Amino acid sequence: MKQPAKSTPFVYLCPQCGELLYYRLRARDTHYGAPLRPCPHCGATYFDPSYLEPALEKRPRLPLLPGTVWGGLLLGLAFLLGAAFLPQKLELAVMGVLFFGASLWYAVDWRRTAPQRQADFEREQAESRRRLQDAAYRRALREHGVKLPEEESAD
């Protein structure tokens, strides 16, 4: 009988059947939601370390702007500075304007949608608090090493 392959930080396999569950782009990718998830192949419940229970997390602060906006603005500035001092002025100026424009558009869109993201997180926190009221669910989380506050872990 073939042993199921082990999961890695970038590839996650079902511990029951060994089938591929997902790929992660970065080992630190995290999501909010229930970390106990059903395998779509065999139906077994597995613990997904990339999911965090929202009710157990401190309220995340949404950044003023995401890092991609700041990076795009800096890159746009670098292209514009290059246009001032290097021979390929037109190409660098166009790239600078494109990066600045795209970054500013993304910044405006980020700020516009921030209240919706916050409302979604608050809804997820309420669902998480309901899940954590179930003693069997709390026990399963503790079995996977999730630390629960004392008042919630008392059965």
Side-chain angles (χ1 to χ4, degrees), residues 59-65 106-124:
R59 181 177 173 190
R61 277 188 347 193
L62 292 176
L64 175 65
L65 293 173
Y106 187 41
V108 168
D109 188 56
W110 174 267
R111 298 306 298 164
R112 180 186 60 82
T113 59
Q116 181 60 46
R117 278 193 307 282
Q118 188 61 45
D120 289 346
F121 183 73
E122 289 168 4
R123 179 186 45 78
E124 289 173 4

Side-chain angles (χ1 to χ4, degrees), residues 35-61:
L36 297 177
R37 310 189 76 70
C39 173
H41 306 286
C42 68
T45 299
Y46 69 95
F47 179 76
D48 188 341
S50 69
Y51 279 83
L52 304 173
E53 271 295 348
L56 299 177
E57 298 297 313
K58 292 180 181 174
R59 181 177 173 190
R61 277 188 347 193

Side-chain angles (χ1 to χ4, degrees), residues 1 10 18 31 35 38 61 63 102 104-105 110-112 115 119 123 127 151 154-155:
M1 177 176 194
F10 300 103
H31 311 282
R61 277 188 347 193
L104 289 176
W105 174 82
W110 174 267
R111 298 306 298 164
R112 180 186 60 82
R123 179 186 45 78
E127 291 172 6
E151 59 273 7
D155 288 60

